[in-house]
Amino acid sequence: MEQIIANGLYLGAQYALIALGLTLIFALMNVLNFAHGQMYVIGGFVTYTVYAQLGLPFVVGVAASGVTLAIIGALVQKFLFGPVIRKSVREESTMLLAAGLAFLLDAVVLLLFGEKQRGVPKIVNGIFNYNDYTIVMPYDKILVGVLAILAIAAFILYMQYSKTGRAMRALAQDKVAAQLMGVDVDRYSIIGFALGAMLAGVVGGLLVTVTGINLGMGGPTSIKAFMMVMIGGAGVISGAIAGGFILGMLESVGLTVLAAYGDITYLVIFASLMVFLAIRPQGLMGKPWG
Amino acid sequence: MAVGAFLLTVFAVVPWLIHVSGRWDFYYTLTSVALLSIASGGVWLTFYIGRINIGQGAFALAGGYVSAILVTKYGFSFWVTIPLSGLFCALLAVLIGLPILRLRGVYFAMITLVLTEVARLAALALPITNGARGISSIPLPGELSIFGLTIIPDFSTIGNVKLAFYYLATVLMVVSFAGLYRLVNSRVGHLCRSLQQNEELASSIGVNIAYLRVIAFAISSFLGGISGAIFVAISRSIYPASFPVKDSVDFMLNCFLGGLGYVFGPMLGTLMIYFGWDLLFTTGRFQLLIYSAILIMLIVTLPNGILSLPLFNKREADK
């Protein structure tokens, strides 16, 4: 039981960090970033290159992932999403663009890094063993979990207390009012997109030490991120965190409890999600109709 | 007039050209285009009521499995399984649609995307679908006869199966799109458009929005189901990975690219995307890169679809 909770917390911290980036981009621009999983994959590969191939410290690798993705995010918003949002009659067009972007990033990853599964050497060796095998967890997983939680905390503090964070929250709340108060929408949209992409990159960099990384992980990651955002409510930061931890916990419990019935954890989670959304369409903390 | 030209092209000119040039493989390509545009037409209808549907892959997969299981395990004739798989999907759509159609915008898009993934997982987990091994060596469609009168001969006795499937797919495509066109220009179609614009307002003047959107979603899934069923008959096999998330996204892209405001948008979009992808095959490993770059450029320059080009809208402007 304790083991399940520990696993759930570890998964939840990762998931929450992924969902945070997605929900931030959604809150600011009403864009559903299909390419989020691909951004995560790129982050993983950058850390792999820096840490495993160039032999630099792991922290540098994660930082490099974050910076690379921030740059990609900023460019994508400036040259792709920004113009399309301005020109398009229907806001769904951004979704098509995001899907196209997902294909493009997949292609880039394929050309730059190939399609092989890549792993990196362990960052810390050893296994944490609490109370004679009630909780067993490798140290590197614990480290990754702690780093993820630190990143979440830093993100919340940044959104809460910095000038940029306040501006972005204002934009998410009411675009027109924020504009009237002198918030530069274009500028903060770019910063927001960069920040959201950066979070995806950081998680990719962190998780490459545990699960490794390959080209095919992008799509499933996006889908998990969507589920978390739906549980918590789209565009709400607290919702993304809650959704991440809830999905992590459900997955951890499901894998143990439902193991006897085969691989049906996600089937069950989805069915429950549908029932839940029928009762509460906006998720746990979302505004009605996002 | 334009419709006549289109029908002539599809049923006479294209087979003649293929016959002359000897490129028999084009039949397979065009059959796929026809089937994919049927499924995309369904997706388009959900767009028409203002919902972004990325779940068509799930219904195509379900339709394919229904047809495959009925044919291989229960000895049904393939021709009976086409409507049956469509109806099964429609029923499924009603059951799933009742709760999830209350969601809007991005929420609906996300849950339908998840639905595609879940369909794959369900196909892996359910006992009747034979897990990851899927169902293979499905027999070719048999004879269809009424009172001893052969309407469609047994496909295994026909010399040219590709041509037969081509006609089957294109006839169904024409019928589906004629149906869609009729639907969109009927009273129900206008009501659907009112949903797209403002559901509360529509509801306040007495439109039964819950009923309409479930019907639209069911029709959409019906089209997805029959296209899946015929795909299975052509490839003679089905696996849980037959219709992955990429297909669901592609159906949506087809609609977008053609233009969401036009009934025949999905057909044009499918044709362009499918052929564009095939033509780029020669570029080898850069295929996906070039394809997605072109796609993105098209979206940036033409956010409202190809049919929104002035070239296609001359008559609209003249009115």
Side-chain angles (χ1 to χ4, degrees):
Chain A
M1 190 60 208
E2 290 89 346
Q3 179 68 44
I4 299 174
I5 293 174
N7 283 343
L9 283 177
Y10 156 75
L11 275 175
Q14 313 300 332
Y15 285 176
L17 207 49
I18 301 178
L20 269 181
L22 189 71
T23 213
L24 177 69
I25 293 173
F26 178 71
L28 288 181
M29 279 154 299
N30 230 351
V31 166
L32 181 58
N33 185 15
F34 271 105
H36 212 69
Q38 275 74 16
M39 291 178 167
Y40 159 91
V41 170
I42 293 182
F45 273 115
V46 169
T47 299
Y48 161 78
T49 313
V50 172
Y51 172 59
Q53 294 203 304
L54 302 180
L56 294 170
F58 175 64
V59 183
V60 178
V62 176
S65 296
V67 172
T68 315
L69 264 301
I71 294 171
I72 295 178
L75 291 177
V76 161
Q77 163 64 22
K78 179 143 181 60
F79 294 107
L80 297 177
F81 283 103
V84 168
I85 291 174
R86 271 196 297 279
K87 263 202 319 198
S88 160
V89 182
R90 302 171 66 128
E91 63 181 21
E92 287 104 317
S93 296
T94 59
M95 215 148 143
L96 171 67
L97 181 58
L101 186 66
F103 287 142
L104 183 74
L105 292 185
D106 257 343
V108 169
V109 171
L110 183 66
L111 287 176
L112 289 181
F113 303 105
E115 48 194 324
K116 281 203 193 97
Q117 163 85 17
R118 301 285 185 189
V120 298
K122 273 194 181 302
I123 36 174
V124 213
N125 281 313
I127 286 176
F128 173 74
N129 178 359
Y130 172 76
N131 199 3
D132 198 21
Y133 294 103
T134 34
I135 301 180
V136 181
M137 191 160 256
Y139 277 121
D140 59 344
K141 272 196 179 182
I142 297 179
L143 181 66
V144 165
V146 170
L147 283 176
I149 291 174
L150 283 180
I152 295 172
F155 176 78
I156 294 175
L157 290 177
Y158 182 73
M159 288 303 281
Q160 209 65 33
Y161 294 110
S162 75
K163 189 166 174 260
T164 324
R166 268 205 302 277
M168 285 195 280
R169 280 188 294 134
L171 269 184
Q173 223 168 49
D174 190 330
K175 206 164 209 162
V176 178
Q179 253 174 322
L180 290 174
M181 297 296 130
V183 176
D184 184 345
V185 174
D186 288 342
R187 184 187 136 105
Y188 284 106
S189 296
I190 292 173
I191 294 178
F193 213 113
L195 200 58
M198 188 179 92
L199 287 176
V202 168
V203 196
L206 288 176
L207 273 187
V208 75
T209 60
V210 180
T211 54
I213 197 81
N214 68 58
L215 181 60
M217 285 165 89
T221 307
S222 294
I223 289 179
K224 277 187 189 171
F226 292 164
M227 291 178 80
M228 295 175 239
V229 166
M230 276 188 288
I231 296 173
V236 189
I237 287 171
S238 51
I241 297 173
F245 277 101
I246 290 173
L247 188 71
M249 207 55 93
L250 285 177
E251 199 180 310
S252 169
V253 172
L255 286 178
T256 320
V257 178
L258 301 172
Y261 306 99
D263 195 10
I264 57 167
T265 308
Y266 264 86
L267 219 54
V268 174
I269 292 180
F270 180 78
S272 354
L273 184 65
M274 289 233 298
V275 176
F276 169 70
L277 285 176
I279 303 164
R280 201 171 163 78
Q282 71 269 37
L284 279 179
M285 298 165 188
K287 297 165 275 185
W289 308 127
Chain B
M1 184 60 204
V3 175
F6 175 76
L7 290 179
L8 195 70
T9 314
V10 168
F11 292 124
V13 176
V14 168
W16 177 74
L17 278 177
I18 289 177
H19 189 74
V20 169
S21 63
R23 290 292 304 271
W24 296 102
D25 52 319
F26 266 133
Y27 274 133
Y28 181 72
T29 318
L30 287 170
T31 310
S32 302
V33 169
L35 291 176
L36 290 173
S37 49
I38 293 175
S40 305
V43 175
W44 183 85
L45 188 66
T46 40
F47 273 115
Y48 202 68
I49 59 163
R51 292 288 190 282
I52 307 163
N53 183 354
I54 326 177
Q56 190 72 313
F59 292 105
L61 191 69
Y65 265 113
V66 168
S67 167
I69 290 168
L70 286 181
V71 168
T72 53
K73 295 221 169 106
Y74 300 100
F76 275 74
S77 157
F78 167 72
W79 304 105
V80 185
T81 67
I82 298 181
L84 280 183
S85 52
L87 286 176
F88 176 82
C89 288
L91 194 70
L92 200 65
V94 171
L95 283 179
I96 299 176
L98 279 175
I100 71 170
L101 278 166
R102 295 175 60 208
L103 306 174
R104 288 182 200 180
V106 181
Y107 282 89
F108 187 79
M110 284 193 284
I111 198 149
T112 46
L113 183 65
V114 176
L115 186 63
T116 314
E117 186 64 11
V118 165
R120 188 179 69 83
L121 291 175
L124 274 174
L126 291 178
I128 197 162
T129 53
N130 204 13
R133 272 166 297 150
I135 300 173
S136 51
S137 57
I138 297 163
L140 279 171
E143 182 182 309
L144 178 70
S145 57
I146 297 175
F147 306 122
L149 189 72
T150 307
I151 298 174
I152 303 170
D154 193 334
F155 270 34
S156 51
T157 59
I158 305 179
N160 197 342
V161 178
K162 280 182 181 152
L163 184 65
F165 272 123
Y166 172 77
Y167 274 119
L168 171 63
T170 44
V171 166
L172 269 178
M173 176 180 81
V174 167
V175 171
S176 303
F177 275 87
L180 272 181
Y181 185 79
R182 180 75 190 82
L183 181 76
V184 165
N185 289 300
S186 69
R187 197 182 121 77
V188 177
H190 295 305
L191 291 178
C192 287
R193 201 148 61 225
S194 75
L195 290 191
Q196 183 192 343
Q197 281 159 359
N198 190 333
E199 284 193 6
E200 280 81 17
L201 189 60
S203 153
S204 73
I205 53 173
V207 179
N208 189 347
I209 55 171
Y211 173 74
L212 262 182
R213 61 195 181 196
V214 166
I215 291 292
F217 192 50
I219 295 175
S220 153
S221 307
F222 180 88
L223 293 176
I226 57 172
S227 104
I230 301 170
F231 251 119
V232 168
I234 293 177
S235 63
R236 304 180 65 183
S237 60
I238 184 163
Y239 305 97
S242 289
F243 292 96
V245 169
K246 186 181 174 300
D247 275 336
S248 279
V249 175
D250 276 348
F251 291 137
M252 179 187 75
L253 288 177
N254 295 339
C255 297
F256 267 119
L257 197 67
L260 289 178
Y262 314 91
V263 185
F264 300 105
M267 223 193 282
L268 184 71
T270 314
L271 190 72
M272 292 196 50
I273 286 195
Y274 201 97
F275 266 90
W277 176 251
D278 267 13
L279 284 178
L280 287 174
F281 184 73
T282 46
T283 58
R285 59 202 197 96
F286 294 101
Q287 186 183 21
L288 185 61
L289 188 71
I290 299 174
Y291 168 79
S292 50
I294 294 177
L295 206 60
I296 289 178
M297 275 189 316
L298 271 177
I299 301 158
V300 173
T301 48
L302 284 175
N304 300 314
I306 288 171
L307 285 177
S308 69
L309 281 174
L311 173 72
F312 293 103
N313 288 327
K314 225 167 173 185
R315 267 178 300 160
E316 296 272 324
D318 287 344
K319 264 183 210 166

